[in-house]
Amino acid sequence: MDTTTSPDHADHESEAQLNADSDDGSPVQDPGKMFIGGLSWQTTAEGLRDYFGRFGEVNECMVMRDPATKRARGFGFITFANPNSVDKVLAVDEHELDGKKIDPKVAFPKRAQTKHLLTR
């Protein structure tokens, strides 16, 4: 499994495991996927879907939550059915949801991390 994140949000990389690897082991890039930063703690996946639905059909929508407290972590991901919807989102200068300015960006797969094996 690979991780998807925005280049400006490297601290969230380890928590956002979303994309699978391709057959050759390279990360899969979904051109319709976006990272959404700056979410309000009150923002739900439904609210995120409703907001971004005005730009095109949303296939997948998630607000990342802390596994222990279940509290929203302030970021999420959406995937549009049509990658052209991403351009529509990016064409808008400012986005606001639940009283907070949000920061949508194209999602990039995290680079695969090599695992080091210790031998004796």
Side-chain angles (χ1 to χ4, degrees), residues 20 28 31 41 81 83 109:
V28 175
W41 305 121

Side-chain angles (χ1 to χ4, degrees), residues 7-80:
D8 293 341
H9 291 79
D11 56 326
H12 298 306
E13 287 177 349
S14 62
E15 291 93 12
Q17 297 180 351
L18 298 173
N19 277 349
D21 288 339
S22 65
D23 290 340
D24 66 359
S26 62
V28 175
Q29 169 64 28
D30 186 337
K33 189 169 236 173
M34 297 192 80
F35 170 90
I36 314 299
L39 295 178
S40 164
W41 305 121
Q42 287 77 37
T43 299
T44 63
E46 294 79 21
L48 199 60
R49 182 182 295 274
D50 289 346
Y51 178 82
F52 284 100
R54 70 183 75 178
F55 299 99
E57 181 184 347
V58 177
N59 277 352
E60 186 178 22
C61 180
M62 63 180 66
V63 173
M64 302 308 288
R65 299 192 173 277
D66 181 282
T69 66
K70 306 297 183 214
R71 181 177 170 184
R73 303 201 41 237
F75 71 101
F77 294 91
I78 59 166
T79 304
F80 287 105

